[in-house]
Amino acid sequence: MPFVTERLGDSFFQDPQGLFARLRSSAPVTQVITAEGLRVWLVTRYEDVRAGLADPRLAKDWVTHMTPEDFDINVDPVQAYLDQHMLNLDPPDHTRLRRLVVKAFTTRRVAALRPRISSITGELLDAMADGPAETDLIEAFAFPLSVTVICELIGIPVDDRESFREWSGTLLSSRGTREEARAAAVEMYEYFTRMVAERRRSPADDLLSALIAARDSGDSLSEHELLSMMFLLLVAGHETMMNLIAGGVLALLAHPAELARLREDPSLLPSAVEELLRYANPLNHATERFTLEPVTIGDVTIPAKEWVMLASASANWDPSRFPDADRLDVGRDPSGHVGFGHGIHYCLGAPLARLEGEIAFGMLLSRFPGLALAVPESSLRWRSSSLIHGLEKLPLRLR
């Protein structure tokens, strides 16, 4: 068994690709300790990560298969309650829950959202144009766009968006205290419980009402599953998109030739979004899995009931799969990237993310041709999270 040589602390948060590059060449399957103190096996090479994402021996439903003794750290029961959503389940429960929500994210239904997403984007860009010459792109654009779109889709008041940002930020942080995380989880649980009660009294044309109707009409969606589904859709729906927009803009500014190329040829937007998903993946790794039995990955056999993190961001920078992987190329064919995962847990919201990305990047770059960093890139800080790869702020000069 390899010695534990890495702890995923601040140096990892600020430069995950530095660690990933080293591990891909020297220890592609190795044990690390997360900032929360959890001992996990980190998998970094493309072929291993992609295979692991579709391997049924790497399970998600830890409530069914694991016991408290299998954890290196204590698990808060409220957080565990919200975490028991379809992303953390295996078939047949995962299949049943995914079927209930998949209709909201079909290509046709998502395409129908284009006018509304364009309208929201335009309003935010107008406000930026009327504001100061320097602004934080996350505060002014990336966060309000991503959270407004997902809130309207689910049927949650957009006025509560700052609460969502605070709650999800606390729960995804690797630096917060256990008490802070529990308080955020309790507030989210109580909020979602109130929203479900309100929608039962007054149904609307939104995803939450549709999920309630599915449960109340005899489908097997329990109250627990309904609340955890809301948690997943809200957190995943705005966190990943917010960080993709900010990280993607930074990547383009760091590659001025590619930025100019995209401005000159907007038809490259679809491929550019895929390349930004590969290059500036807003997740360092897929959500944790564990081994149901001994599993051999590469030349390492991981014992049963061990935690595994499949580093999707590392796989997307693996030069054995993507030549010059550390270089942004908006005309590249990045098909096969694992920014949306792979296998049965492939991101349900991928069509929405692609559409939102095309609109956001296209309209932003068109509106502000003089877009530039307002601070040295070396001064930018990334959030303290082993899962999320997202900037704390992105100060830009608009003109």
Side-chain angles (χ1 to χ4, degrees), residues 129-175:
D130 291 338
E134 293 186 5
T135 190
D136 174 13
L137 186 76
I138 296 175
E139 197 69 33
F141 184 66
F143 169 68
L145 173 60
S146 59
V147 78
T148 300
V149 170
I150 196 63
C151 282
E152 290 191 359
L153 179 63
I154 298 173
I156 292 177
V158 177
D159 291 345
D160 296 328
R161 64 191 187 188
E162 287 299 330
S163 296
F164 307 145
R165 185 181 190 179
E166 181 179 346
W167 293 332
S168 64
T170 298
L171 291 173
L172 293 171
S173 173
S174 296
R175 292 299 190 202

Side-chain angles (χ1 to χ4, degrees), residues 238-281:
H238 93 267
E239 278 282 357
T240 53
M241 199 64 228
M242 172 178 71
N243 295 317
L244 173 63
I245 292 171
V249 168
L250 176 61
L252 288 167
L253 292 174
H255 294 78
E258 294 304 294
L259 174 58
R261 183 182 177 192
L262 184 57
R263 287 189 194 279
E264 293 168 6
D265 185 2
S267 69
L268 288 173
L269 270 171
S271 66
V273 169
E274 295 298 320
E275 172 70 347
L276 290 170
L277 281 160
R278 182 199 69 82
Y279 183 90
N281 195 330

Side-chain angles (χ1 to χ4, degrees), residues 341-358:
H342 176 61
I344 66 170
H345 291 287
Y346 184 82
C347 179
L348 195 67
L352 177 60
R354 289 185 169 107
L355 175 63
E356 204 169 332
E358 287 183 31

Side-chain angles (χ1 to χ4, degrees), residues 32-325:
V32 299
I33 300 177
T34 69
E36 296 84 358
L38 182 65
R39 189 183 302 267
V40 303
W41 291 87
L42 185 64
V43 182
T44 51
R45 287 182 178 167
Y46 178 87
E47 286 190 6
D48 296 335
V49 169
R50 185 175 170 87
L53 289 169
D55 192 334
R57 298 173 300 169
L58 299 182
K60 289 296 202 82
D61 187 0
W62 52 268
V63 170
T64 297
H65 296 285
M66 303 284 266
T67 66
E69 290 73 28
D70 295 315
F71 292 88
D72 291 330
I73 55 175
N74 293 327
V75 178
D76 180 81
V78 181
Q79 287 180 258
Y81 186 93
L82 291 176
D83 272 339
Q84 199 61 11
H85 45 68
M86 66 181 179
L87 190 56
N88 288 334
L89 293 175
D90 304 309
D93 289 329
H94 168 269
T95 308
R96 172 175 53 83
L97 294 180
R98 190 177 178 102
R99 187 174 61 246
L100 286 167
V101 72
V102 70
K103 292 179 181 178
F105 294 98
T106 61
T107 302
R108 176 182 295 182
R109 183 158 187 176
V110 167
L113 298 174
R114 179 180 288 275
R116 180 56 185 150
I117 296 174
S118 298
S119 176
I120 297 168
T121 302
E123 291 169 5
L124 292 170
L125 295 178
D126 287 344
M128 290 168 61
D130 291 338
E134 293 186 5
T135 190
D136 174 13
L137 186 76
I138 296 175
E139 197 69 33
F141 184 66
F143 169 68
L145 173 60
S146 59
V147 78
T148 300
V149 170
I150 196 63
C151 282
E152 290 191 359
L153 179 63
I154 298 173
I156 292 177
V158 177
D159 291 345
D160 296 328
R161 64 191 187 188
E162 287 299 330
S163 296
F164 307 145
R165 185 181 190 179
E166 181 179 346
W167 293 332
S168 64
T170 298
L171 291 173
L172 293 171
S173 173
S174 296
R175 292 299 190 202
T177 66
R178 189 167 298 163
E179 292 73 21
E180 291 170 338
R182 178 180 175 81
V186 168
E187 289 180 18
M188 290 190 85
Y189 168 81
E190 293 175 344
Y191 180 87
F192 292 151
T193 300
R194 291 195 301 270
M195 282 302 306
V196 169
E198 290 177 14
R199 279 295 180 275
R200 275 212 177 87
R201 290 192 299 267
S202 304
D205 183 18
D206 54 40
L207 181 55
L208 176 54
S209 298
L211 291 174
I212 291 171
R215 176 181 183 274
D216 291 345
S217 64
D219 210 320
S220 52
L221 185 63
S222 69
E223 189 81 3
H224 179 187
E225 291 166 342
L226 185 59
L227 296 178
S228 60
M229 182 81 78
M230 290 178 65
F231 171 76
L232 170 64
L233 294 173
L234 181 63
V235 174
H238 93 267
E239 278 282 357
T240 53
M241 199 64 228
M242 172 178 71
N243 295 317
L244 173 63
I245 292 171
V249 168
L250 176 61
L252 288 167
L253 292 174
H255 294 78
E258 294 304 294
L259 174 58
R261 183 182 177 192
L262 184 57
R263 287 189 194 279
E264 293 168 6
D265 185 2
S267 69
L268 288 173
L269 270 171
S271 66
V273 169
E274 295 298 320
E275 172 70 347
L276 290 170
L277 281 160
R278 182 199 69 82
Y279 183 90
N281 195 330
L283 298 178
N284 287 317
H285 59 82
T287 51
E288 291 86 349
R289 288 157 165 80
F290 60 91
T291 51
L292 287 173
E293 60 186 66
V295 176
T296 298
I297 301 178
D299 58 0
V300 175
T301 297
I302 302 175
K305 291 197 172 182
E306 296 268 352
W307 291 101
V308 178
M309 287 199 324
L310 302 169
S312 50
S314 174
N316 284 341
W317 276 42
D318 189 338
S320 70
R321 176 61 179 82
F322 302 102
D324 296 321

Side-chain angles (χ1 to χ4, degrees), residues 14 134 250 253-254 372-382 391 393-397:
Q14 301 311 314
E134 293 186 5
L250 176 61
L253 292 174
L373 277 174
V375 297
E377 184 176 351
S378 59
S379 70
L380 298 174
R381 296 284 296 174
W382 298 86
L391 288 160
K393 295 181 179 180
L394 184 58
L396 296 181
R397 290 197 305 272

